[in-house]
Amino acid sequence: MANQNIINSKQEQVNVLSEKLKGAVAGVVVDYRGITVENDTKLRRQLREAGVEYSVVKNNILRRAAKEAGYEEMTAVMTGTTAFAYSNSDPISAAKILNKYAEESKGAFSIKGGFMEGKVMDVAEVEAIAKLPGKQELLTMLCMALNGNIRGLAVALNAVVEKNGETA
C-alpha cells in the first residue's frame, strides 16, 4: 500500500494544478520529446517573458487536475512525455510561442491540445489560435486604421479649401 504522505503530496499537487487550470484563460499541452536542454532553456525564457507558466507534469496528476477543473475532454491527449503551459492574462501567447517552436523543431516537439476560456481545443484549433495576431499587433492595426481615417479627412478638407481658393 502506498505511503499516506506520498498520497497526500500527490493530492496537493493535483489541487494546486487544478486551481491554476481554473484561473487560466488558456493553456496548451505539448509533447516535449526530443527537445535539448539548451532549446528548453530558450523556450522557457520566451514563455516566462510572455507571462506564461510552463512545467513538465506527470500525466496522472494533470489528468486528475483537468477533471477537477472541468477539462475532462482534454485527458485523452495526456500520454507519453507531457508538459503544460498556461497564461492567466493573454489567451494566445502560449499557443503562439509553442506552435512556433513546434514548427521549427520538425516533429521533435509537438502540440497535443489545449483549452481557451473554458473550451477544450484539439491540435488544429490550437494551431489556428497561434496564427492570430497578438495584442500588440491588433493595437497597431487599430491605430493604423484610425490614423488612415484622420489622414483622409485632412486631405478632403484641404481639397475643399484649395477648391475655394482660400489659404490654410
Side-chain angles (χ1 to χ4, degrees):
M1 178 147 200
N3 183 342
Q4 191 61 39
N5 290 336
I6 295 172
I7 293 171
N8 290 341
S9 171
K10 289 186 179 190
Q11 185 57 47
E12 181 60 27
Q13 290 175 356
V14 169
N15 292 340
V16 168
L17 190 55
S18 175
E19 288 305 312
K20 288 179 179 181
L21 282 165
K22 289 175 185 174
V25 293
V28 179
V29 178
V30 296
D31 181 348
Y32 65 90
R33 186 178 330 128
I35 189 170
T36 65
V37 173
E38 180 183 348
N39 289 339
D40 186 50
T41 304
K42 288 178 187 175
L43 179 62
R44 285 176 187 265
R45 185 179 311 115
Q46 283 181 328
L47 291 166
R48 194 172 34 256
E49 288 170 357
V52 176
E53 288 196 40
Y54 174 84
S55 61
V56 173
V57 183
K58 287 189 170 198
N59 288 321
N60 202 24
I61 290 173
L62 185 56
R63 248 186 245 114
R64 289 174 191 247
K67 284 180 185 176
E68 281 186 22
Y71 296 115
E72 192 165 347
E73 298 169 41
M74 198 168 64
T75 61
V77 300
M78 296 173 193
T79 58
T81 54
T82 303
F84 175 64
Y86 69 93
S87 175
N88 292 326
S89 58
D90 187 354
I92 65 170
S93 58
K96 217 175 206 9
I97 293 168
L98 293 170
N99 186 59
K100 180 181 177 194
Y101 186 80
E103 288 175 349
E104 290 172 357
S105 69
K106 297 180 177 93
F109 181 93
S110 62
I111 293 174
K112 293 181 175 183
F115 69 92
M116 180 184 283
E117 296 177 350
K119 181 186 178 293
V120 174
M121 301 182 301
D122 62 13
V123 176
E125 290 172 312
V126 173
E127 289 172 348
I129 294 295
K131 292 181 182 7
L132 291 174
K135 184 178 179 180
Q136 285 301 105
E137 294 162 320
L138 288 173
L139 289 174
T140 302
M141 293 163 90
L142 175 64
C143 288
M144 296 285 283
L146 292 174
N147 192 27
N149 291 338
I150 292 170
R151 184 179 178 281
L153 176 63
V155 168
L157 289 174
N158 191 39
V160 169
V161 168
E162 286 179 0
K163 181 179 177 185
N164 291 337
E166 300 173 12
T167 60

